[in-house]
Amino acid sequence: MQQEQELEVKLAKKGNHEAFIKLIRPLELQMYNIAKAILRQDEDCADAMQESILKAYKSLPSLRHAPFFKTWLFRILINECNMILRKKSHVVPLLNLDQAEHVTPSLDVNIDLRDAVYRLEEVSRTIIILHYFRDLPLRQIAEMLDLNEGAVKTRLHRARITLSEWLANHRERKVNV
């Protein structure tokens, strides 16, 4: 299987479109699951996957080690998902005046674990999502994010502390209201 993948990567690097498709097809569901965990919207997942596949195809010659194709592709996908999230964070929806009166700050009210995770900074959010929502081992996450495993463990620990504090503070506010 590994040798077959390496052969397909070599062929795809030489411009063989079918070889590239053979590499992508078995990974599509995993790509969707990772994108869905990060982005939550099907339309955004489709955009991220499409853009990631296109970027992977264009930059395939830069892949140095064929056995790391999957990790390399997932790193491209994660970066694309985070880029979509960054773009969305700059978009502020316009509300009509009637709706604006009833809007409450989402950090103070109605916070749940998933919302709290999406408020983490980018790398920590990605680590939490991949580890807890997609059940990926820390070693694989470290490879995908091009970090050492110790850095991933540290960020995961800090993110858990932050989430715990946010959720504890939220519960206290709810009780005091």
Side-chain angles (χ1 to χ4, degrees):
M1 177 106 176
Q2 184 74 11
Q3 290 175 338
E4 184 179 319
Q5 179 184 358
E6 288 182 38
L7 176 62
E8 296 295 339
V9 169
K10 287 178 186 176
L11 291 171
K13 278 184 165 187
K14 293 179 181 176
N16 185 324
H17 304 298
E18 277 119 41
F20 184 74
I21 291 169
K22 282 183 184 178
L23 289 167
I24 295 295
R25 286 260 189 242
L27 301 175
E28 285 178 331
L29 182 59
Q30 284 180 288
M31 289 178 70
Y32 173 78
N33 288 334
I34 289 173
K36 182 72 171 180
I38 295 172
L39 297 171
R40 300 192 282 187
Q41 302 290 327
D42 284 330
E43 301 83 23
D44 293 336
C45 295
D47 290 344
M49 288 177 61
Q50 189 174 23
E51 194 62 32
S52 299
I53 291 169
L54 182 61
K55 286 181 179 181
Y57 183 75
K58 287 180 178 178
S59 60
L60 195 57
S62 71
L63 176 63
R64 285 183 240 133
H65 303 290
F68 297 126
F69 176 79
K70 179 179 173 181
T71 302
W72 176 77
L73 178 65
F74 287 170
R75 186 180 305 152
I76 293 170
L77 176 65
I78 291 166
N79 289 337
E80 191 61 34
C81 289
N82 286 328
M83 192 174 344
I84 289 171
L85 285 176
R86 279 193 300 273
K87 286 178 185 176
K88 282 188 152 203
S89 72
H90 294 299
V91 175
V92 178
L94 297 175
L95 301 173
N96 66 35
L97 293 176
D98 292 340
Q99 290 174 317
E101 292 175 12
H102 302 290
V103 173
T104 56
S106 58
L107 186 55
D108 294 337
V109 183
N110 298 331
I111 190 170
D112 68 356
L113 181 58
R114 193 172 283 268
D115 288 335
V117 167
Y118 282 93
R119 285 188 174 81
L120 291 169
E121 60 93 15
E122 192 174 289
V123 175
S124 297
R125 176 182 61 238
T126 302
I127 291 169
I128 290 281
I129 289 170
L130 293 176
H131 186 63
Y132 290 111
F133 298 178
R134 300 284 22 121
D135 294 324
L136 294 179
L138 296 178
R139 177 186 38 71
Q140 188 175 357
I141 295 168
E143 289 173 8
M144 285 180 173
L145 300 178
D146 201 22
L147 298 169
N148 67 47
E149 197 170 339
V152 170
K153 288 179 183 177
T154 300
R155 286 182 182 262
L156 183 62
H157 177 73
R158 289 180 185 157
R160 284 193 304 239
I161 290 171
T162 301
L163 289 171
S164 176
E165 289 171 357
W166 285 351
L167 294 171
N169 287 339
H170 172 67
R171 281 189 217 106
E172 289 171 13
R173 279 195 299 273
K174 220 174 188 179
V175 171
N176 293 333
V177 172

